[in-house]
Amino acid sequence: MTNLGCMMIDMAGVIVEADPAICATLRAPAEILIGSNLFDFTAPADRERCMHLFSQVQSNGIPVSTVKRLIRSDSSHLWIQSHVSIASRTSEGVRIHIVVQDGRQPSSTMRPEALLKTARLTFEARRARTEIFSASLFADSAWDILLAANISEAEGRVLGMADVATMLGMSVVNVTRWMRALSAEGLVDYEIGDDTQLANVAFRLSCDAHQRFERYLSERYITAVAAVPKPDPFM
């Protein structure tokens, strides 16, 4: 991915440092950016999720990455991948370091709320099925893990292995095995740690996985809407 610049913000989200690259990306001089709030440059549909992740980094110190839309000074939107981490903790407060890289625009322009609702319905349908039929007949652990991660990230949460095991009724060992397979396919990224510490590591969907989900959920949503009978104007 191409680096688009970096910045430093304080605990309130106010930009305190901005390098020339991020100024060029946002199409605004440093004099304008410094003192402005970063969330003012975040698309409204992504703002709540990003604020939640920002608070999470402050509280537990664990770096996170997310895909979101930046609003530049000319009002144009840019899909980026943002990497957020604690830079320092001093008597003056916490400083957050943000590295911005380019992110591929998802294939759909569907509203995020519609995509999240479709993902939830898909997940709930799979859970409902296991209550009626034997779960062992329809096991699809990799898909269930990806769905759970997609929903959690859209809601502003990041999952760990233990969270997934609880949500899906799987053992941590089984979740770890599937996570290795998903990582090998480039569909998930680990927040910290390495392959030997998977049981204790949080993870997120990769940029590629986000794009694939956008396409899949958009197609499912469009198909569902098209299947709804339209009212007969003569009745």
Side-chain angles (χ1 to χ4, degrees):
M1 289 186 179
T2 303
N3 285 325
L4 301 179
C6 60
M7 67 182 82
M8 199 82 72
I9 62 177
D10 65 14
M11 294 179 64
V14 175
I15 301 171
V16 296
E17 294 180 25
D19 72 0
I22 197 65
C23 292
T25 296
L26 289 171
R27 298 176 181 172
E31 294 78 15
I32 297 295
L33 293 181
I34 294 175
S36 299
N37 196 291
L38 173 62
F39 297 113
D40 291 338
F41 296 94
T42 301
D46 300 329
R47 198 167 292 159
E48 183 177 354
R49 173 173 56 85
C50 290
M51 291 177 73
H52 178 86
L53 291 174
F54 177 69
S55 297
Q56 179 179 295
V57 171
Q58 290 190 64
S59 63
N60 61 25
I62 299 175
V64 299
S65 297
T66 189
V67 176
K68 69 172 190 176
R69 286 157 288 190
L70 280 181
I71 304 176
R72 294 182 283 204
S73 62
D74 60 2
S75 298
S76 62
H77 286 209
L78 176 69
W79 281 93
I80 58 102
Q81 187 163 37
S82 179
H83 305 276
V84 185
S85 61
I86 297 288
S88 64
R89 293 182 186 271
T90 67
S91 58
E92 298 180 355
V94 176
R95 288 291 183 266
I96 309 292
H97 186 241
I98 299 178
V99 176
V100 176
Q101 296 179 314
D102 69 329
R104 286 175 292 176
Q105 181 174 353
S107 57
S108 163
T109 56
M110 196 74 65
R111 290 180 297 108
E113 311 90 79
L115 296 178
L116 176 56
K117 183 175 182 179
T118 305
R120 284 173 175 160
L121 287 172
T122 303
F123 187 81
E124 290 165 4
R126 293 183 61 77
R127 301 279 69 74
R129 185 183 64 183
T130 61
E131 295 178 2
I132 300 174
F133 298 95
S134 172
S136 61
L137 292 175
F138 306 103
D140 194 351
S141 300
W143 179 236
D144 287 340
I145 291 171
L146 291 176
L147 266 176
N150 176 267
I151 293 169
S152 295
E153 290 186 36
E155 294 173 342
R157 297 179 290 112
V158 177
L159 292 177
M161 304 297 166
D163 300 320
V164 174
T166 300
M167 288 177 67
L168 303 181
M170 298 168 60
S171 69
V172 174
V173 172
N174 200 18
V175 171
T176 300
R177 180 169 63 86
W178 281 108
M179 285 301 302
R180 288 196 176 100
L182 292 171
S183 177
E185 290 292 323
L187 296 175
V188 297
D189 294 322
Y190 305 131
E191 293 290 352
I192 57 173
D194 55 37
D195 192 63
T196 64
Q197 303 171 316
L198 282 185
N200 301 314
V201 173
F203 70 94
R204 54 185 168 77
L205 295 179
S206 67
C207 186
D208 181 49
H210 273 287
Q211 187 178 38
R212 291 173 186 241
F213 258 112
E214 290 270 357
R215 185 170 70 249
Y216 174 82
L217 295 173
S218 295
E219 291 174 356
R220 300 284 69 73
Y221 181 87
I222 292 170
T223 299
V225 170
V228 176
K230 294 180 173 55
D232 188 337
F234 299 103
M235 292 185 65

Short mmCIF file of all heavy atoms in Angstrom, two decimals, residues 146-187:
data_model
loop_
_atom_site.label_atom_id
_atom_site.label_comp_id
_atom_site.label_asym_id
_atom_site.label_seq_id
_atom_site.Cartn_x
_atom_site.Cartn_y
_atom_site.Cartn_z
N LEU A 146 -15.59 -14.93 9.59
CA LEU A 146 -15.53 -13.71 8.79
C LEU A 146 -16.78 -12.85 8.99
O LEU A 146 -16.69 -11.62 9.11
CB LEU A 146 -15.38 -14.06 7.31
CG LEU A 146 -14.03 -14.65 6.88
CD1 LEU A 146 -14.08 -15.03 5.41
CD2 LEU A 146 -12.90 -13.66 7.13
N LEU A 147 -17.95 -13.49 9.05
CA LEU A 147 -19.19 -12.75 9.28
C LEU A 147 -19.17 -12.05 10.63
O LEU A 147 -19.54 -10.87 10.75
CB LEU A 147 -20.39 -13.70 9.22
CG LEU A 147 -21.13 -13.86 7.89
CD1 LEU A 147 -22.22 -14.91 8.04
CD2 LEU A 147 -21.72 -12.53 7.43
N ALA A 148 -18.74 -12.77 11.66
CA ALA A 148 -18.68 -12.20 13.01
C ALA A 148 -17.73 -11.00 13.04
O ALA A 148 -18.03 -9.97 13.65
CB ALA A 148 -18.23 -13.26 14.01
N ALA A 149 -16.59 -11.13 12.36
CA ALA A 149 -15.62 -10.04 12.33
C ALA A 149 -16.17 -8.83 11.58
O ALA A 149 -16.00 -7.68 11.99
CB ALA A 149 -14.33 -10.51 11.68
N ASN A 150 -16.85 -9.08 10.47
CA ASN A 150 -17.43 -7.99 9.68
C ASN A 150 -18.44 -7.20 10.49
O ASN A 150 -18.43 -5.96 10.50
CB ASN A 150 -18.08 -8.55 8.42
CG ASN A 150 -18.77 -7.49 7.59
OD1 ASN A 150 -19.97 -7.26 7.74
ND2 ASN A 150 -18.03 -6.83 6.73
N ILE A 151 -19.33 -7.90 11.18
CA ILE A 151 -20.36 -7.23 11.98
C ILE A 151 -19.72 -6.47 13.14
O ILE A 151 -20.08 -5.31 13.40
CB ILE A 151 -21.36 -8.27 12.51
CG1 ILE A 151 -22.16 -8.87 11.35
CG2 ILE A 151 -22.31 -7.64 13.53
CD1 ILE A 151 -22.98 -10.08 11.72
N SER A 152 -18.78 -7.09 13.82
CA SER A 152 -18.15 -6.45 14.97
C SER A 152 -17.41 -5.18 14.57
O SER A 152 -17.52 -4.15 15.25
CB SER A 152 -17.18 -7.42 15.65
OG SER A 152 -17.88 -8.52 16.19
N GLU A 153 -16.68 -5.22 13.46
CA GLU A 153 -15.94 -4.03 13.03
C GLU A 153 -16.89 -2.93 12.60
O GLU A 153 -16.64 -1.75 12.85
CB GLU A 153 -14.98 -4.40 11.91
CG GLU A 153 -13.80 -5.24 12.39
CD GLU A 153 -12.77 -5.47 11.30
OE1 GLU A 153 -12.54 -4.56 10.48
OE2 GLU A 153 -12.19 -6.57 11.27
N ALA A 154 -18.00 -3.29 11.95
CA ALA A 154 -18.99 -2.28 11.54
C ALA A 154 -19.63 -1.63 12.76
O ALA A 154 -20.06 -0.47 12.70
CB ALA A 154 -20.06 -2.92 10.67
N GLU A 155 -19.68 -2.36 13.87
CA GLU A 155 -20.24 -1.83 15.12
C GLU A 155 -19.18 -1.14 15.98
O GLU A 155 -19.48 -0.67 17.07
CB GLU A 155 -20.88 -2.96 15.92
CG GLU A 155 -22.11 -3.57 15.24
CD GLU A 155 -22.65 -4.79 15.96
OE1 GLU A 155 -21.90 -5.39 16.77
OE2 GLU A 155 -23.81 -5.16 15.71
N GLY A 156 -17.94 -1.10 15.48
CA GLY A 156 -16.87 -0.42 16.20
C GLY A 156 -16.15 -1.28 17.21
O GLY A 156 -15.51 -0.76 18.12
N ARG A 157 -16.24 -2.61 17.08
CA ARG A 157 -15.57 -3.50 18.01
C ARG A 157 -14.55 -4.36 17.27
O ARG A 157 -14.69 -4.62 16.09
CB ARG A 157 -16.59 -4.43 18.69
CG ARG A 157 -17.60 -3.69 19.54
CD ARG A 157 -18.61 -4.63 20.19
NE ARG A 157 -19.52 -5.23 19.22
CZ ARG A 157 -19.54 -6.51 18.89
NH1 ARG A 157 -18.68 -7.35 19.44
NH2 ARG A 157 -20.41 -6.97 18.00
N VAL A 158 -13.51 -4.76 17.99
CA VAL A 158 -12.51 -5.67 17.43
C VAL A 158 -12.56 -6.96 18.23
O VAL A 158 -12.59 -6.94 19.46
CB VAL A 158 -11.09 -5.06 17.51
CG1 VAL A 158 -10.06 -6.04 16.99
CG2 VAL A 158 -11.03 -3.77 16.71
N LEU A 159 -12.59 -8.09 17.54
CA LEU A 159 -12.71 -9.39 18.20
C LEU A 159 -11.36 -10.01 18.52
O LEU A 159 -10.38 -9.78 17.82
CB LEU A 159 -13.48 -10.35 17.30
CG LEU A 159 -14.97 -10.08 17.06
CD1 LEU A 159 -15.52 -11.11 16.08
CD2 LEU A 159 -15.74 -10.11 18.36
N GLY A 160 -11.35 -10.82 19.57
CA GLY A 160 -10.22 -11.68 19.88
C GLY A 160 -10.63 -13.12 19.68
O GLY A 160 -11.80 -13.42 19.43
N MET A 161 -9.68 -14.03 19.77
CA MET A 161 -9.99 -15.44 19.55
C MET A 161 -11.03 -15.97 20.54
O MET A 161 -11.94 -16.71 20.17
CB MET A 161 -8.72 -16.28 19.67
CG MET A 161 -7.61 -15.85 18.75
SD MET A 161 -8.07 -16.03 17.01
CE MET A 161 -6.77 -15.07 16.26
N ALA A 162 -10.90 -15.57 21.81
CA ALA A 162 -11.84 -16.04 22.83
C ALA A 162 -13.25 -15.53 22.54
O ALA A 162 -14.24 -16.23 22.77
CB ALA A 162 -11.38 -15.60 24.21
N ASP A 163 -13.35 -14.29 22.03
CA ASP A 163 -14.66 -13.72 21.69
C ASP A 163 -15.34 -14.56 20.61
O ASP A 163 -16.53 -14.87 20.69
CB ASP A 163 -14.51 -12.28 21.18
CG ASP A 163 -13.87 -11.37 22.19
OD1 ASP A 163 -14.22 -11.49 23.38
OD2 ASP A 163 -13.04 -10.54 21.81
N VAL A 164 -14.57 -14.92 19.59
CA VAL A 164 -15.11 -15.71 18.48
C VAL A 164 -15.54 -17.09 18.98
O VAL A 164 -16.61 -17.59 18.61
CB VAL A 164 -14.07 -15.86 17.35
CG1 VAL A 164 -14.58 -16.81 16.27
CG2 VAL A 164 -13.77 -14.50 16.74
N ALA A 165 -14.72 -17.70 19.81
CA ALA A 165 -15.04 -19.02 20.34
C ALA A 165 -16.37 -18.99 21.09
O ALA A 165 -17.20 -19.89 20.95
CB ALA A 165 -13.92 -19.50 21.26
N THR A 166 -16.58 -17.94 21.89
CA THR A 166 -17.83 -17.81 22.64
C THR A 166 -19.02 -17.57 21.72
O THR A 166 -20.08 -18.18 21.87
CB THR A 166 -17.71 -16.66 23.65
OG1 THR A 166 -16.63 -16.92 24.56
CG2 THR A 166 -19.00 -16.49 24.44
N MET A 167 -18.85 -16.67 20.75
CA MET A 167 -19.94 -16.32 19.84
C MET A 167 -20.40 -17.51 19.00
O MET A 167 -21.59 -17.70 18.76
CB MET A 167 -19.50 -15.20 18.90
CG MET A 167 -19.37 -13.84 19.53
SD MET A 167 -18.75 -12.61 18.35
CE MET A 167 -20.13 -12.53 17.20
N LEU A 168 -19.43 -18.33 18.56
CA LEU A 168 -19.73 -19.40 17.62
C LEU A 168 -19.81 -20.78 18.27
O LEU A 168 -20.08 -21.76 17.58
CB LEU A 168 -18.68 -19.41 16.51
CG LEU A 168 -18.51 -18.11 15.73
CD1 LEU A 168 -17.45 -18.26 14.65
CD2 LEU A 168 -19.84 -17.67 15.10
N GLY A 169 -19.55 -20.84 19.57
CA GLY A 169 -19.60 -22.14 20.24
C GLY A 169 -18.49 -23.07 19.78
O GLY A 169 -18.68 -24.29 19.70
N MET A 170 -17.33 -22.50 19.47
CA MET A 170 -16.18 -23.28 19.02
C MET A 170 -15.09 -23.26 20.10
O MET A 170 -15.08 -22.38 20.95
CB MET A 170 -15.61 -22.70 17.72
CG MET A 170 -16.57 -22.71 16.55
SD MET A 170 -15.96 -21.70 15.15
CE MET A 170 -14.41 -22.52 14.78
N SER A 171 -14.19 -24.21 20.03
CA SER A 171 -13.05 -24.18 20.94
C SER A 171 -12.02 -23.17 20.42
O SER A 171 -11.97 -22.88 19.22
CB SER A 171 -12.39 -25.56 21.02
OG SER A 171 -11.77 -25.89 19.79
N VAL A 172 -11.22 -22.62 21.34
CA VAL A 172 -10.19 -21.67 20.93
C VAL A 172 -9.19 -22.34 19.99
O VAL A 172 -8.70 -21.72 19.04
CB VAL A 172 -9.47 -21.09 22.17
CG1 VAL A 172 -8.28 -20.22 21.75
CG2 VAL A 172 -10.43 -20.28 23.02
N VAL A 173 -8.92 -23.61 20.22
CA VAL A 173 -7.99 -24.35 19.36
C VAL A 173 -8.52 -24.40 17.93
O VAL A 173 -7.78 -24.19 16.96
CB VAL A 173 -7.76 -25.77 19.90
CG1 VAL A 173 -6.96 -26.61 18.89
CG2 VAL A 173 -7.03 -25.72 21.24
N ASN A 174 -9.82 -24.67 17.80
CA ASN A 174 -10.43 -24.76 16.47
C ASN A 174 -10.44 -23.38 15.79
O ASN A 174 -10.17 -23.26 14.59
CB ASN A 174 -11.85 -25.30 16.58
CG ASN A 174 -12.36 -25.86 15.27
OD1 ASN A 174 -11.57 -26.16 14.37
ND2 ASN A 174 -13.66 -26.00 15.14
N VAL A 175 -10.77 -22.35 16.57
CA VAL A 175 -10.76 -20.99 16.02
C VAL A 175 -9.36 -20.63 15.53
O VAL A 175 -9.18 -20.07 14.44
CB VAL A 175 -11.22 -19.96 17.07
CG1 VAL A 175 -11.00 -18.54 16.57
CG2 VAL A 175 -12.69 -20.17 17.41
N THR A 176 -8.35 -20.96 16.32
CA THR A 176 -6.97 -20.66 15.96
C THR A 176 -6.57 -21.34 14.66
O THR A 176 -5.91 -20.75 13.80
CB THR A 176 -6.01 -21.10 17.09
OG1 THR A 176 -6.36 -20.41 18.29
CG2 THR A 176 -4.57 -20.79 16.73
N ARG A 177 -7.01 -22.58 14.49
CA ARG A 177 -6.69 -23.32 13.26
C ARG A 177 -7.29 -22.63 12.04
O ARG A 177 -6.63 -22.45 11.01
CB ARG A 177 -7.21 -24.75 13.38
CG ARG A 177 -6.95 -25.62 12.16
CD ARG A 177 -7.25 -27.07 12.47
NE ARG A 177 -8.65 -27.28 12.80
CZ ARG A 177 -9.61 -27.49 11.89
NH1 ARG A 177 -9.31 -27.50 10.60
NH2 ARG A 177 -10.86 -27.69 12.26
N TRP A 178 -8.55 -22.20 12.17
CA TRP A 178 -9.19 -21.52 11.05
C TRP A 178 -8.59 -20.14 10.81
O TRP A 178 -8.51 -19.68 9.67
CB TRP A 178 -10.70 -21.41 11.30
CG TRP A 178 -11.42 -22.70 11.01
CD1 TRP A 178 -11.97 -23.56 11.91
CD2 TRP A 178 -11.62 -23.28 9.72
NE1 TRP A 178 -12.51 -24.64 11.27
CE2 TRP A 178 -12.31 -24.50 9.92
CE3 TRP A 178 -11.29 -22.90 8.43
CZ2 TRP A 178 -12.68 -25.33 8.87
CZ3 TRP A 178 -11.65 -23.72 7.37
CH2 TRP A 178 -12.34 -24.92 7.60
N MET A 179 -8.16 -19.48 11.88
CA MET A 179 -7.54 -18.16 11.71
C MET A 179 -6.25 -18.25 10.91
O MET A 179 -5.95 -17.38 10.10
CB MET A 179 -7.27 -17.54 13.08
CG MET A 179 -8.50 -17.02 13.79
SD MET A 179 -9.38 -15.75 12.82
CE MET A 179 -8.08 -14.56 12.61
N ARG A 180 -5.49 -19.31 11.12
CA ARG A 180 -4.27 -19.49 10.33
C ARG A 180 -4.61 -19.63 8.85
O ARG A 180 -3.91 -19.09 7.98
CB ARG A 180 -3.50 -20.71 10.83
CG ARG A 180 -2.82 -20.52 12.18
CD ARG A 180 -1.77 -21.59 12.43
NE ARG A 180 -1.06 -21.33 13.67
CZ ARG A 180 -1.31 -21.94 14.83
NH1 ARG A 180 -2.26 -22.85 14.89
NH2 ARG A 180 -0.62 -21.65 15.90
N ALA A 181 -5.68 -20.37 8.55
CA ALA A 181 -6.09 -20.55 7.16
C ALA A 181 -6.56 -19.23 6.55
O ALA A 181 -6.22 -18.90 5.41
CB ALA A 181 -7.20 -21.60 7.08
N LEU A 182 -7.34 -18.45 7.31
CA LEU A 182 -7.84 -17.17 6.82
C LEU A 182 -6.69 -16.17 6.62
O LEU A 182 -6.69 -15.39 5.67
CB LEU A 182 -8.87 -16.60 7.80
CG LEU A 182 -10.18 -17.37 7.89
CD1 LEU A 182 -11.03 -16.85 9.05
CD2 LEU A 182 -10.96 -17.28 6.58
N SER A 183 -5.72 -16.22 7.52
CA SER A 183 -4.55 -15.34 7.38
C SER A 183 -3.74 -15.70 6.14
O SER A 183 -3.26 -14.82 5.42
CB SER A 183 -3.68 -15.44 8.64
OG SER A 183 -2.51 -14.65 8.50
N ALA A 184 -3.61 -17.00 5.89
CA ALA A 184 -2.86 -17.45 4.71
C ALA A 184 -3.53 -16.99 3.42
O ALA A 184 -2.86 -16.76 2.41
CB ALA A 184 -2.74 -18.97 4.73
N GLU A 185 -4.87 -16.82 3.46
CA GLU A 185 -5.61 -16.34 2.30
C GLU A 185 -5.62 -14.82 2.20
O GLU A 185 -6.19 -14.25 1.28
CB GLU A 185 -7.06 -16.85 2.36
CG GLU A 185 -7.21 -18.35 2.14
CD GLU A 185 -6.85 -18.76 0.72
OE1 GLU A 185 -7.17 -18.00 -0.22
OE2 GLU A 185 -6.25 -19.84 0.56
N GLY A 186 -5.01 -14.15 3.19
CA GLY A 186 -4.96 -12.70 3.18
C GLY A 186 -6.27 -12.03 3.56
O GLY A 186 -6.51 -10.87 3.20
N LEU A 187 -7.12 -12.73 4.32
CA LEU A 187 -8.44 -12.20 4.67
C LEU A 187 -8.49 -11.57 6.06
O LEU A 187 -9.43 -10.82 6.36
CB LEU A 187 -9.49 -13.30 4.57
CG LEU A 187 -9.70 -13.86 3.16
CD1 LEU A 187 -10.66 -15.04 3.19
CD2 LEU A 187 -10.21 -12.78 2.22
#
